[in-house]
Amino acid sequence: MVYIVKTLLLIIVFGFLFLIFLFPEIREYKLLYIFSMWQCIYECLFPIWFFQGIEKMKYIAIFSFIGRVVFILLIFIWVTTPQDYLLVPLINGIGAIITSLIAIYILIYKFKIKFRWQSLATIFYHTKDSTKLLLTSITGIVKDRTNTIVIGSVLGMGEVAYYDFEKNETLKENSINSNQLIEDYLVGRVTFYVSGPLWRKRFLNNRKELF
């Protein structure tokens, strides 16, 4: 069921992607935006919610490491000139898809997960039940990205690059992004304890409602 909802959301995101091409400033870099959509496909395929729910966080760390190693190796092999900048999101996408497929393989063969189509009533129920968490995540993203969008629309992409650089330098001063760590920890804990009976009895044994 999670994959069904994520796929529907991915289709909506692709729709918005083509709408933003109406802006001339963005249309100039349309290939970069299209190639960067690999990251959205990764978010759709990679079952981070599953590993958080069963508290097997080591898989997330392992897959993240594999993806970064593949990314770095291919960057050194293929990206040799500034004109190769379009290869960067493509290479990132290759690493993301590889790790996602490995994760799905583990779901099927190690955890014996079987994917089934769910009824519209089941999809609607779980989607509605997760609306508050979705709105909270969207609010955080809008808060973080509004400055970038405004600067890009008013001043230009060069100023956006300077802004991102300064923001990243500020984040580097704090070696640990505590907000993200706290969010990941709480999501895993809340999923495990609040939905414990569902995960243990239905998810891990029957695996029908969520898959």
Short mmCIF file of all heavy atoms in Angstrom, two decimals, residues 38-39 42 46 63-72 74 88-102:
data_model
loop_
_atom_site.label_atom_id
_atom_site.label_comp_id
_atom_site.label_asym_id
_atom_site.label_seq_id
_atom_site.Cartn_x
_atom_site.Cartn_y
_atom_site.Cartn_z
N TRP A 38 15.56 11.62 -10.66
CA TRP A 38 15.95 10.30 -10.18
C TRP A 38 15.86 10.22 -8.66
O TRP A 38 15.55 9.16 -8.10
CB TRP A 38 17.38 9.99 -10.61
CG TRP A 38 17.53 9.55 -12.03
CD1 TRP A 38 18.05 10.28 -13.06
CD2 TRP A 38 17.15 8.30 -12.60
NE1 TRP A 38 18.02 9.55 -14.23
CE2 TRP A 38 17.47 8.32 -13.98
CE3 TRP A 38 16.57 7.14 -12.07
CZ2 TRP A 38 17.24 7.24 -14.82
CZ3 TRP A 38 16.34 6.06 -12.92
CH2 TRP A 38 16.67 6.13 -14.27
N GLN A 39 16.13 11.34 -7.99
CA GLN A 39 16.09 11.34 -6.53
C GLN A 39 14.67 11.09 -6.04
O GLN A 39 14.47 10.42 -5.02
CB GLN A 39 16.61 12.69 -6.00
CG GLN A 39 16.81 12.72 -4.50
CD GLN A 39 17.87 11.74 -4.02
OE1 GLN A 39 18.82 11.45 -4.74
NE2 GLN A 39 17.71 11.21 -2.82
N TYR A 42 14.01 7.48 -6.34
CA TYR A 42 14.66 6.79 -5.22
C TYR A 42 13.81 6.88 -3.96
O TYR A 42 13.63 5.87 -3.25
CB TYR A 42 16.04 7.42 -4.98
CG TYR A 42 16.66 7.05 -3.66
CD1 TYR A 42 17.25 5.80 -3.48
CD2 TYR A 42 16.67 7.95 -2.60
CE1 TYR A 42 17.83 5.45 -2.27
CE2 TYR A 42 17.25 7.62 -1.39
CZ TYR A 42 17.82 6.36 -1.22
OH TYR A 42 18.38 6.03 -0.01
N PHE A 46 12.88 3.31 -2.38
CA PHE A 46 13.65 2.84 -1.23
C PHE A 46 12.76 2.73 0.01
O PHE A 46 12.14 3.71 0.43
CB PHE A 46 14.81 3.79 -0.94
CG PHE A 46 15.74 3.27 0.11
CD1 PHE A 46 16.63 2.25 -0.18
CD2 PHE A 46 15.73 3.78 1.39
CE1 PHE A 46 17.51 1.76 0.78
CE2 PHE A 46 16.59 3.30 2.37
CZ PHE A 46 17.47 2.29 2.06
N PHE A 63 23.01 0.84 2.82
CA PHE A 63 22.59 1.25 1.48
C PHE A 63 23.05 2.66 1.16
O PHE A 63 23.41 2.97 0.02
CB PHE A 63 21.08 1.13 1.34
CG PHE A 63 20.59 -0.29 1.32
CD1 PHE A 63 19.52 -0.67 2.11
CD2 PHE A 63 21.21 -1.23 0.53
CE1 PHE A 63 19.07 -1.98 2.09
CE2 PHE A 63 20.77 -2.54 0.51
CZ PHE A 63 19.70 -2.92 1.30
N SER A 64 23.03 3.53 2.16
CA SER A 64 23.51 4.89 1.95
C SER A 64 24.98 4.88 1.60
O SER A 64 25.43 5.62 0.71
CB SER A 64 23.25 5.73 3.21
OG SER A 64 23.76 7.03 3.05
N PHE A 65 25.76 4.04 2.29
CA PHE A 65 27.19 3.93 2.01
C PHE A 65 27.44 3.39 0.60
O PHE A 65 28.28 3.92 -0.14
CB PHE A 65 27.84 3.02 3.05
CG PHE A 65 29.30 2.75 2.80
CD1 PHE A 65 30.25 3.71 3.10
CD2 PHE A 65 29.71 1.54 2.26
CE1 PHE A 65 31.60 3.47 2.86
CE2 PHE A 65 31.04 1.28 2.03
CZ PHE A 65 32.00 2.25 2.32
N ILE A 66 26.69 2.35 0.20
CA ILE A 66 26.85 1.78 -1.14
C ILE A 66 26.55 2.82 -2.21
O ILE A 66 27.28 2.98 -3.19
CB ILE A 66 25.95 0.55 -1.31
CG1 ILE A 66 26.41 -0.58 -0.40
CG2 ILE A 66 25.96 0.08 -2.77
CD1 ILE A 66 25.49 -1.78 -0.40
N GLY A 67 25.45 3.56 -2.01
CA GLY A 67 25.07 4.57 -2.99
C GLY A 67 26.11 5.66 -3.13
O GLY A 67 26.42 6.10 -4.24
N ARG A 68 26.70 6.08 -2.01
CA ARG A 68 27.71 7.14 -2.07
C ARG A 68 29.00 6.64 -2.72
O ARG A 68 29.66 7.39 -3.45
CB ARG A 68 27.99 7.66 -0.66
CG ARG A 68 26.81 8.43 -0.07
CD ARG A 68 27.12 9.00 1.29
NE ARG A 68 25.96 9.67 1.87
CZ ARG A 68 25.62 10.91 1.59
NH1 ARG A 68 26.35 11.63 0.75
NH2 ARG A 68 24.55 11.46 2.16
N VAL A 69 29.37 5.39 -2.45
CA VAL A 69 30.58 4.85 -3.06
C VAL A 69 30.42 4.76 -4.58
O VAL A 69 31.31 5.15 -5.34
CB VAL A 69 30.90 3.46 -2.47
CG1 VAL A 69 31.99 2.76 -3.30
CG2 VAL A 69 31.34 3.58 -1.02
N VAL A 70 29.27 4.25 -5.04
CA VAL A 70 29.01 4.17 -6.48
C VAL A 70 29.03 5.56 -7.10
O VAL A 70 29.61 5.78 -8.18
CB VAL A 70 27.65 3.48 -6.74
CG1 VAL A 70 27.29 3.56 -8.22
CG2 VAL A 70 27.71 2.02 -6.30
N PHE A 71 28.42 6.53 -6.41
CA PHE A 71 28.36 7.90 -6.91
C PHE A 71 29.77 8.48 -7.06
O PHE A 71 30.11 9.05 -8.11
CB PHE A 71 27.52 8.75 -5.95
CG PHE A 71 27.50 10.21 -6.29
CD1 PHE A 71 26.76 10.68 -7.36
CD2 PHE A 71 28.23 11.12 -5.53
CE1 PHE A 71 26.73 12.03 -7.67
CE2 PHE A 71 28.21 12.46 -5.83
CZ PHE A 71 27.46 12.92 -6.91
N ILE A 72 30.60 8.33 -6.04
CA ILE A 72 31.95 8.90 -6.08
C ILE A 72 32.80 8.25 -7.17
O ILE A 72 33.51 8.94 -7.91
CB ILE A 72 32.62 8.76 -4.70
CG1 ILE A 72 31.90 9.64 -3.66
CG2 ILE A 72 34.10 9.14 -4.77
CD1 ILE A 72 32.38 9.44 -2.25
N LEU A 74 31.83 6.76 -9.98
CA LEU A 74 31.39 7.15 -11.31
C LEU A 74 31.69 8.63 -11.59
O LEU A 74 31.94 9.00 -12.74
CB LEU A 74 29.89 6.87 -11.47
CG LEU A 74 29.50 5.39 -11.45
CD1 LEU A 74 28.00 5.23 -11.63
CD2 LEU A 74 30.25 4.61 -12.51
N VAL A 88 26.11 14.51 -13.44
CA VAL A 88 26.09 14.39 -11.98
C VAL A 88 24.74 13.86 -11.47
O VAL A 88 24.71 12.88 -10.72
CB VAL A 88 26.46 15.73 -11.31
CG1 VAL A 88 26.32 15.62 -9.80
CG2 VAL A 88 27.88 16.13 -11.68
N PRO A 89 23.60 14.48 -11.85
CA PRO A 89 22.33 13.90 -11.38
C PRO A 89 22.06 12.52 -11.95
O PRO A 89 21.43 11.69 -11.29
CB PRO A 89 21.29 14.92 -11.85
CG PRO A 89 21.93 15.66 -12.96
CD PRO A 89 23.39 15.72 -12.60
N LEU A 90 22.55 12.25 -13.17
CA LEU A 90 22.36 10.91 -13.75
C LEU A 90 23.14 9.87 -12.95
O LEU A 90 22.63 8.78 -12.66
CB LEU A 90 22.81 10.90 -15.21
CG LEU A 90 21.89 11.59 -16.21
CD1 LEU A 90 22.52 11.55 -17.60
CD2 LEU A 90 20.52 10.93 -16.23
N ILE A 91 24.37 10.19 -12.59
CA ILE A 91 25.18 9.27 -11.79
C ILE A 91 24.56 9.07 -10.42
O ILE A 91 24.50 7.94 -9.90
CB ILE A 91 26.62 9.79 -11.68
CG1 ILE A 91 27.30 9.76 -13.04
CG2 ILE A 91 27.42 8.98 -10.66
CD1 ILE A 91 28.66 10.42 -13.07
N ASN A 92 24.08 10.15 -9.84
CA ASN A 92 23.41 10.05 -8.55
C ASN A 92 22.19 9.15 -8.65
O ASN A 92 21.89 8.35 -7.75
CB ASN A 92 23.00 11.45 -8.07
CG ASN A 92 22.59 11.45 -6.62
OD1 ASN A 92 22.99 10.60 -5.84
ND2 ASN A 92 21.78 12.43 -6.24
N GLY A 93 21.48 9.26 -9.78
CA GLY A 93 20.31 8.42 -10.00
C GLY A 93 20.67 6.96 -10.14
O GLY A 93 19.96 6.08 -9.65
N ILE A 94 21.79 6.68 -10.81
CA ILE A 94 22.24 5.29 -10.97
C ILE A 94 22.51 4.65 -9.61
O ILE A 94 22.05 3.54 -9.31
CB ILE A 94 23.49 5.23 -11.85
CG1 ILE A 94 23.14 5.61 -13.29
CG2 ILE A 94 24.12 3.83 -11.81
CD1 ILE A 94 24.35 5.72 -14.21
N GLY A 95 23.24 5.36 -8.75
CA GLY A 95 23.51 4.85 -7.41
C GLY A 95 22.24 4.66 -6.61
O GLY A 95 22.08 3.67 -5.88
N ALA A 96 21.29 5.59 -6.76
CA ALA A 96 20.03 5.51 -6.01
C ALA A 96 19.20 4.31 -6.46
O ALA A 96 18.63 3.59 -5.63
CB ALA A 96 19.23 6.80 -6.20
N ILE A 97 19.13 4.10 -7.77
CA ILE A 97 18.34 2.98 -8.28
C ILE A 97 18.96 1.64 -7.88
O ILE A 97 18.25 0.69 -7.52
CB ILE A 97 18.21 3.07 -9.81
CG1 ILE A 97 17.40 4.33 -10.19
CG2 ILE A 97 17.52 1.84 -10.37
CD1 ILE A 97 16.02 4.38 -9.60
N ILE A 98 20.29 1.56 -7.93
CA ILE A 98 20.96 0.32 -7.53
C ILE A 98 20.65 -0.03 -6.08
O ILE A 98 20.28 -1.17 -5.76
CB ILE A 98 22.49 0.44 -7.75
CG1 ILE A 98 22.81 0.46 -9.24
CG2 ILE A 98 23.22 -0.72 -7.07
CD1 ILE A 98 24.27 0.72 -9.55
N THR A 99 20.79 0.93 -5.18
CA THR A 99 20.51 0.67 -3.77
C THR A 99 19.04 0.36 -3.54
O THR A 99 18.70 -0.49 -2.70
CB THR A 99 20.92 1.87 -2.91
OG1 THR A 99 20.28 3.07 -3.40
CG2 THR A 99 22.41 2.09 -2.93
N SER A 100 18.15 1.01 -4.28
CA SER A 100 16.71 0.74 -4.12
C SER A 100 16.37 -0.68 -4.54
O SER A 100 15.60 -1.37 -3.87
CB SER A 100 15.90 1.75 -4.94
OG SER A 100 16.11 3.07 -4.48
N LEU A 101 16.92 -1.12 -5.67
CA LEU A 101 16.64 -2.47 -6.15
C LEU A 101 17.19 -3.53 -5.19
O LEU A 101 16.55 -4.56 -4.95
CB LEU A 101 17.23 -2.66 -7.55
CG LEU A 101 16.59 -1.82 -8.66
CD1 LEU A 101 17.30 -2.06 -9.98
CD2 LEU A 101 15.09 -2.13 -8.79
N ILE A 102 18.37 -3.26 -4.62
CA ILE A 102 18.93 -4.19 -3.63
C ILE A 102 18.03 -4.25 -2.40
O ILE A 102 17.77 -5.33 -1.85
CB ILE A 102 20.36 -3.78 -3.24
CG1 ILE A 102 21.29 -3.88 -4.44
CG2 ILE A 102 20.88 -4.66 -2.10
CD1 ILE A 102 22.69 -3.37 -4.17
#
